[in-house]
Amino acid sequence: MDGQPGHIDQIKQINIGTVYRLIDQYGPISRIELSKKAQLAPASITKIVRELVDAHLVMETEFLDLGFRGRPATGLKLDSESWHFLCVSINLGSLILGLRDLSSTLIVEDVLPLPANKEKSFLDSIIDEIDAFFGRYQSRLERLTAISMTVNAIVDPTQGLIHSFPYYQVQELPIGEYLHRRTGLPVFLQHEITAWTIAESLYGTAKNCQNVIQMVIDEHVGVGVIIAGQTLHAGNRGVMEVGHIQAEPNGERCYCGNFGCLETVVGISHILSRAKRQLAMVPDSLLNGEPLTVESFCQAVNNGDTLAVDIIRDIGVKIGHIIAIMVNLFNPEKILMGSPLNASQQVLYPVISECIQQHALPAYSKQIELVPTKFNNSGTLSTVASVKKALYDGSLLISLMKG
């Protein structure tokens, strides 16, 4: 009998989260349709909806119901505008702070410098900037519900712990616990690539997919993996470090200490350096006389420039070999690419796909889709994922309803 209340509470939490998610995805939606999609009895829907409406998390609205000869019907949609959460994105040398409502709408966002400061601790620097942010935008702040953080470091999301962030000389920092004690708010911490992958699975290109691989290629290379709807390594240390798999045995030395890591081959700065080195041998390249950027490089690829096409095809082979291995390991439905190189996808993607078909098991690679991400991970967008996930599983909703 001791376990029964906890079990009932868990079922209630799951049901509330399910109803909220369906209203978010399909609203305005009638109670009848909501009952069908949630597979819950009408009486249960009535009770849950009443609680969400009383908590000002859901509201009634009229909408056109074609099933009733075009007459307006009473439907349900989210009531999100007065519920805000703080977004914190920590990068190498910069900090992005934002305020969003529960519908993910951005209220305000600031990009701030965050140098590695020996005179002030990393944690103190973050706290000071958050305090100043609230001071600047106090007049725009409504009910603050949570803090959601992403960081490009080794983290433990379940403990709110940054294991290692060498750029700021941070080791085993319980930043989630500290911010919770200071504010009383739930704090979500996630690796930025994992958060981006979750966002794509919730409301992006991989929506409704249960098995997803997302490869991110910019200055660094990382991968997020979702298996059976769950994030791989969700509770410990975040992402797979495929950027440090050796791609060229005799390649250049990586900052990790090894030679020829994938990141030293396909990272954006390394691609541009390679193109610059080879330009002298290809005087008629479209890249000559132009500022060499990833945008101009991709444009040259799309215009058929021999140098740019040769480089992007070689990069595609290197990426394709790694993805083929991961396809054999995880059998995904979709492979997502998050990268500025997506601008040259008409040339890049067929090369990657060909590698996958050649090197992955036919049963796994036959139906696989290679697609660009919906989002470009700019600003604080990825921080939304943790909050959405906590709303959809009901845990954050229960907290908000209790006040």
Side-chain angles (χ1 to χ4, degrees):
M1 295 293 291
D2 290 342
Q4 188 174 357
H7 180 63
I8 292 173
D9 289 345
Q10 185 178 19
I11 292 174
K12 178 181 178 181
Q13 175 182 310
I14 292 171
N15 288 344
I16 287 175
T18 298
V19 169
Y20 185 91
R21 173 177 59 81
L22 291 170
I23 294 172
D24 190 10
Q25 293 175 343
Y26 297 101
I29 182 172
S30 69
R31 286 169 172 80
I32 295 174
E33 188 65 22
L34 189 58
S35 176
K36 293 177 182 177
K37 289 185 179 296
Q39 295 185 335
L40 293 172
S44 297
I45 291 294
T46 298
K47 184 175 185 299
I48 292 171
V49 167
R50 185 187 303 118
E51 291 177 343
L52 289 171
V53 170
D54 289 345
H56 302 287
L57 289 161
V58 165
M59 61 190 298
E60 293 185 330
T61 183
E62 286 191 346
F63 72 107
L64 193 62
D65 190 341
L66 299 180
F68 289 91
R69 299 181 181 178
R71 290 182 299 173
T74 300
L76 301 164
K77 68 177 185 177
L78 299 189
D79 186 1
S80 302
E81 291 185 3
S82 59
W83 297 93
H84 292 168
F85 64 95
L86 176 67
C87 311
V88 182
S89 177
I90 305 171
N91 306 290
L92 302 184
S94 69
L95 172 69
I96 308 176
L97 298 176
L99 199 62
R100 293 177 181 268
D101 67 25
L102 291 188
S103 70
S104 307
T105 300
L106 182 65
I107 310 301
V108 67
E109 188 173 86
D110 285 352
V111 181
L112 307 163
L114 187 67
N117 191 338
K118 295 181 180 179
E119 297 178 1
K120 184 187 291 187
S121 74
F122 171 79
L123 185 57
D124 286 342
S125 297
I126 297 292
I127 296 300
D128 288 349
E129 291 292 0
I130 289 175
D131 287 345
F133 179 83
F134 284 143
R136 287 193 297 275
Y137 301 110
Q138 187 175 9
S139 62
R140 305 185 68 175
L141 182 63
E142 300 285 347
R143 289 171 285 192
L144 195 61
T145 62
I147 299 174
S148 184
M149 307 180 69
T150 60
V151 57
N152 188 16
I154 299 175
V155 301
D156 184 340
T158 59
Q159 300 296 322
L161 184 70
I162 299 178
H163 282 299
S164 177
F165 202 174
Y167 183 84
Y168 292 106
Q169 299 181 334
V170 168
Q171 296 288 330
E172 307 303 324
L173 176 65
I175 191 168
E177 179 185 347
Y178 182 87
L179 286 173
H180 175 67
R181 288 203 313 264
R182 185 180 176 90
T183 64
L185 297 170
V187 179
F188 305 102
L189 175 68
Q190 188 56 269
H191 190 287
E192 65 175 12
I193 291 177
T194 301
W196 187 2
T197 306
I198 294 170
E200 293 288 344
S201 72
L202 289 177
Y203 43 85
T205 302
K207 184 178 178 180
N208 298 324
C209 291
Q210 293 294 299
N211 301 285
V212 178
I213 294 172
Q214 176 172 312
M215 176 164 275
V216 175
I217 300 173
D218 43 45
E219 290 304 322
H220 302 281
V221 177
V223 167
V225 179
I226 292 176
I227 303 173
Q230 299 297 315
T231 308
L232 184 66
H233 304 315
N236 188 22
R237 301 181 185 265
V239 296
M240 300 175 64
E241 293 291 347
V242 298
H244 297 286
I245 295 175
Q246 191 177 66
E248 291 186 351
N250 298 316
E252 67 180 88
R253 190 179 185 90
C254 180
Y255 64 85
C256 75
N258 293 326
F259 290 87
C261 291
L262 182 66
E263 200 166 284
T264 68
V265 179
V266 305
I268 300 301
S269 61
H270 296 280
I271 293 172
L272 298 181
S273 294
R274 176 179 174 181
K276 188 175 182 179
R277 289 194 304 269
Q278 296 182 13
L279 269 176
M281 297 180 289
V282 192
D284 61 342
S285 171
L286 296 174
L287 295 172
N288 274 302
E290 295 289 334
L292 188 52
T293 65
V294 66
E295 291 80 13
S296 64
F297 174 81
C298 289
Q299 186 61 48
V301 171
N302 295 334
N303 290 333
D305 181 76
T306 302
L307 172 60
V309 169
D310 286 347
I311 292 174
I312 203 70
R313 289 185 62 83
D314 181 63
I315 289 165
V317 170
K318 298 293 194 305
I319 296 170
H321 278 298
I322 300 300
I323 293 180
I325 293 170
M326 298 185 69
V327 167
N328 282 344
L329 290 172
F330 302 117
N331 189 18
E333 302 159 60
K334 283 188 178 181
I335 297 166
L336 277 55
M337 284 286 293
S339 175
L341 297 176
N342 281 340
S344 62
Q345 64 181 272
Q346 291 182 345
V347 178
L348 177 62
Y349 281 21
V351 178
I352 296 174
S353 296
E354 184 179 353
C355 273
I356 294 170
Q357 298 299 323
Q358 288 178 349
H359 299 289
L361 289 170
Y364 288 2
S365 62
K366 187 177 180 181
Q367 302 297 329
I368 205 163
E369 288 186 77
L370 173 63
V371 293
T373 55
K374 180 177 180 178
F375 312 116
N376 61 8
N377 202 34
S378 61
T380 56
L381 186 59
S382 289
T383 63
V384 174
S386 293
V387 173
K388 282 283 189 184
K389 198 166 184 290
L391 289 168
Y392 288 176
D393 68 25
S395 57
L396 183 55
L397 287 173
I398 295 293
S399 175
L400 299 181
M401 292 165 71
K402 289 179 179 178

